[in-house]
C-alpha cells in the first residue's frame, strides 16, 4: 500500500481548484540499481478525480511521468464542504483512493 494522495481543494467564484500529489515511485524500467540490474517498470497507468460522483478529470500515465506526480486543475462547480476523490491504478495492479473536503 502506498502513501496517501495529498489533496487540497478550494472553491471560489464558481470554480474549484484542486491540487494533488500522488505519492508513487514511477519507475520507468530503464534505471539500473547499484548492482547494475534494471529496476522493473512501476508506474501509475490510470487516474480519475470525482466530485459528487461526477468525473471531473481522468488521465492515463506512462513511463515518462516523474516520481510523485503533481497536478493542478480547476473545474466548474463545487461548494465548501463537498467531497473530491482521487483514485489511481498502477501497472502492478495496485490502486489507491483518497478524498478531501472542499475548503
Amino acid at each position: 500500500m502506498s502513501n496517501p494522495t495529498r489533496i487540497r481543494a478550494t472553491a471560489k467564484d464558481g470554480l474549484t481548484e484542486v491540487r494533488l500529489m500522488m505519492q508513487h515511485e514511477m519507475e520507468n524500467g530503464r534505471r539500473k540499481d547499484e548492482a547494475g540490474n534494471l529496476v522493473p517498470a512501476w508506474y501509475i497507468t490510470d487516474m480519475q478525480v470525482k466530485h459528487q460522483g461526477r468525473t471531473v478529470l481522468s488521465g492515463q500515465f506512462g513511463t515518462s511521468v516523474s516520481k510523485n506526480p503533481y497536478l493542478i486543475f480547476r473545474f466548474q462547480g463545487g461548494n465548501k464542504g463537498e467531497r473530491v476523490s482521487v483514485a489511481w491504478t498502477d501497472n502492478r495492479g495496485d490502486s489507491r483512493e483518497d478524498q478531501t473536503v472542499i475548503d
Side-chain angles (χ1 to χ4, degrees):
M1 182 61 77
S2 63
N3 291 326
T5 301
R6 294 181 183 182
I7 313 166
R8 182 171 184 177
T10 53
K12 184 177 179 184
D13 300 328
L15 292 176
T16 299
E17 181 177 277
V18 179
R19 296 171 180 252
L20 61 94
M21 184 171 72
M22 295 172 275
Q23 298 188 52
H24 196 281
E25 290 299 317
M26 301 297 284
E27 289 288 348
N28 62 15
R30 296 183 184 149
R31 187 176 68 85
K32 293 183 179 179
D33 63 14
E34 294 176 5
N37 301 315
L38 285 175
V39 176
W42 181 35
Y43 55 93
I44 294 172
T45 57
D46 300 291
M47 60 85 62
Q48 191 170 50
V49 181
K50 290 185 175 184
H51 166 251
Q52 301 293 93
R54 175 178 65 109
T55 300
V56 293
L57 179 73
S58 64
Q60 296 178 329
F61 292 169
T63 57
S64 63
V65 177
S66 66
K67 181 178 180 177
N68 299 329
Y70 181 72
L71 301 173
I72 301 173
F73 67 96
R74 295 178 184 95
F75 66 89
Q76 288 190 327
N79 296 306
K80 292 181 180 183
E82 295 178 345
R83 294 194 177 274
V84 172
S85 65
V86 177
W88 56 258
T89 304
D90 68 21
N91 66 322
R92 292 183 181 174
D94 292 335
S95 62
R96 177 159 195 103
E97 182 170 348
D98 298 290
Q99 59 182 319
T100 191
V101 174
I102 298 172
D103 290 331

